[in-house]
Amino acid sequence: MTAPLDVPGTAMEAQPEAVTEGVGGKAIEGRSLGQIAWMRLKRDKAAIAGAIVVVFLTLIAIFAERPFGGLIALFGDAPNIPNNDLVDPMTSAPIGAFGGISLEHPFGLEPVNGRDIFARILSGAQISLLVAFLATLLSVVLGSLLGVLAGFFGGWVDTLISRAMDVFLAFPLLLFAIAIVGAVPDKALGLEGNALRIAVIVFIIGFFNWPYIARIVRGQALSLREREFVDAARSLGAGNGYIIFREMLPNLVAPILVYSTLLIPSNILFEAALSFLGVGVTEPQASWGGMLTLAVNYYTIAPHFMIIPGLAIFITVMAFNLLGDGLRDALDPRAR
């Protein structure tokens, strides 16, 4: 048997250009998982629309009042300034068509006191998004850490954390929050008034919601700890801390991110419910749930007073849900 002839220039000899160039001379580039997810997300028009609304609402909440901006002062009155001269003293309804809607008051006026609804919607957005983001951050930090510990170590650690999840999930959270926030003193821990109430609400929502994300992270961690890269890191002498924080947690970013975007709207609704029941932030600070509470008594003479904050809650929650669904589909490797 003779060796094959080595003839230069034949098809047997691979050219570098043939490897790096495709049809028409265009370079062939590999795509990372992030690029693939972004391509999938861009094709989801509903998720992109939700993301635009989320970014828009976040910017409005940041720049609604000084020192970051002043959209309220630019487009309307301050949220707590009354306009009694624009309210009918006989009916308590705003003077003018459609609840007093005008260029100066684009969303109209509140009954009785004539406060600008546009300004109060912007001010309420700050409260709703602040509570939702901070409570979600607390839940994600606690749930991710405890979930990955339970999944990685297993045994009695997993049993202890899993039983703690069951205990927290058994709490009637709404009733518990009403009882705790209603018993909050006027001043504690260097905070007072609505600042103290917001801190307590954030703690209650975030601290008692961590088991939901912990269960998701635990399930993923149980699968990841059996993967080859974890065995490789352990064989190279890596400690448990290195494996958890440098190997496993980076691979859990996708489910954590998806669940976070789905948890934020739930927290917005929870804060609105507490304010509606009278145990959230108090007057004169605006909140969407508090505006709905005041609107209950005046919806017959000023229906816009109930419709506008209700739409604000609906649009915000819908936008976050659309974004969360889009992220889930984009980051799921089994999606088509």
Side-chain angles (χ1 to χ4, degrees), residues 6-16 18:
D6 188 9
V7 181
T10 63
M12 299 284 295
E13 184 177 348
Q15 301 296 325

Side-chain angles (χ1 to χ4, degrees), residues 284-299:
Q285 173 62 52
S287 68
W288 292 344
M291 294 177 70
L292 288 175
T293 299
L294 297 176
V296 169
N297 299 321
Y298 303 102
Y299 71 92

